Amino acid sequence: MIKGPDHLTGEDRPHLYMDDFDSQLKKRKMADKKYQMDKKIGELKYTDLYPHDRNGKEVSEAMLKQLTEVLLDFVNETNDRKCKVLDFHHPEDMKKLLDLSIPQDGLPLQTLIDDCARTLKYQVRTGHPHFFNQLSCGLDLVSMAGEWLTATANTNMFTYEIAPVFILMESVVLSKMREIIGWKGGDSILAPGGSVSNLYAFLAARHHMFPNYKEKGQSSIGAQLVMFTSDQCHYSVKSCAAICGLGTDNCVEVPSDEHGRMIVSELERLVLERKSKGQIPFFVNCTSGTTVLGAFDPINQIADVCQKHKMWLHIDAAWGGGLLLSKKHRHPRFSGVERADSVTWNPHKLMGTLLQCSTIHFKIDGLLLSCNSMSADYLFMTDKLYDIKYDTGDKVLQCGRHNDIFKLWLQFRAKGLNGFEAHMDHLMEMAEYLVERIKADKDKFYLILEPECVNVSFWYIPKRLRNQPHNQQRINELAKICPIIKSKMMEQGTMMVGYQPDDRRPNFFRSIFSSAAVQKDDVDFLLAELDRLGQDL
Ligand SMILES: *Cc1c(COP(=O)(O)O)cnc(C)c1O
């Protein structure tokens, strides 16, 4: 059994990090709270719940209400700046704090509730205002409410037959997103993540240009297919080449400039080079919002090259896509986006939709179906009672598909287009504020480049390295400090911000603004906390 809260020693309660005692008392929630159900109910088992007990109404409701309390406490703590972002333990220690074992005989309901509470106690609060670590973060409550409903409806998205309302929502939301991209018509689908969305684009492009491939395979093409992407692209683009039989050597990495944007003259040079070898360049991936630096490849220039050499233009806007919703920030970043053949756009990143929610859009209608359809007789009968164009199941690579639409649709209802625009402008404002603060404190921080998106890349400078020339030697020292500060912040649980190296430089911090929770004082906290953790390193 997962140890009850009463077994916790003082040290096992580092949930709270503010020293002030009063607030500590106030903040003792999940760490110390017992989620005690009525004893009689707590001792019951799953067989006393619906559907096993057809009279299980009272017990089922009692358990779910108790669970709701656990969830609401997590939501409250996530939004409480005095609570920690995480309660870190090394895997071996974590195993000792949990009971993850599979029992022979099922456990009572009270134990299940305790399991749930304990699980969330040790979960990282990715919606906490001091979580700057990941592209997908935040806890949008409307989207979360949608996810609760989705789980309760528990349906599959392959046919209108079993998901009528959700299928219609999908159609409306995706068509609105295509309209925002700038297309009339077209087709789209929700995929399990941006990586799979990129794969859909690749498959549709190859199908469109080589329609015999589906039946005849590689030999119907005759020559080597080649795809192009910048050296800053997401690694899923390269994995398309591995999965689809090109081989990663035929996913050509085009060099990027110092901002991380594809150098288009290099693209054209590399296309010509491959053509001269008798190969077939057919696909270019243009990244709108690169994962590390947040750079935007120049769409119009790339589209010109694609047009000239008859290549498919895919835009990977998994990360940057949200900025399509902002009049202020859409241009010049997305100028020319309507010229693309396909666009990946992840609402679960900048738009704050709960994981998982990723979309792939095509300018041409009908491609998804003709590329992916296998016409399974048992699901996609053509003599159904309703208009079968609403059966989306034969367009996709999966059979069953999770309902990722309801939470996004509900968010659109709550925010409207204006609310989403304000959300994007707020995130960009937070990034701009961080940049401003970094520039104002040149002693302690070094801005690596002017961001185009909400990724802010910088170094923290400890006391001993201040007022020194910024040469390779200092950079190497600054890079060594990143993992040390990161481990301190994890151990103390006060915040999370990511670091990584790239092709041009060793480790640096990259702060991400993707959560509506973050306000200016949280940005101030980020810098103050880095300084607290790092000044003496
Ligand atoms: C995050 C990201 C992806 C992958 O999306 P997942 O949903 O994590 O699979 C693809 N491309 C870019 C540019 C990204 O930032």
Side-chain angles (χ1 to χ4, degrees), residues 140-148 352-354 407-408 410-411:
D140 183 297
L141 288 193
V142 171
S143 192
M144 188 186 81
E147 192 73 2
W148 286 5
T353 312
L354 261 61
K407 60 194 169 190
L408 175 59
L410 200 63
Q411 238 186 335

Side-chain angles (χ1 to χ4, degrees), residues 135 192-196 198 233-237 287-291 316-320 344 346 348-349 355-356 358:
L135 306 192
S195 307
V196 177
N198 287 340
C233 77
H234 189 264
Y235 64 90
S236 58
V237 176
T287 310
S288 290
T290 59
T291 311
D316 180 0
W319 176 222
T344 290
N346 276 4
H348 74 218
K349 287 186 173 171
L355 282 162
Q356 188 167 62
S358 171

Side-chain angles (χ1 to χ4, degrees), residues 426-434 513 518-520 523:
H426 173 73
L427 296 177
M428 288 297 281
E429 196 190 322
M430 291 304 104
E432 284 156 14
Y433 179 66
L434 175 57
F513 296 96
V518 178
Q519 303 290 331
K520 281 187 175 170
V523 177

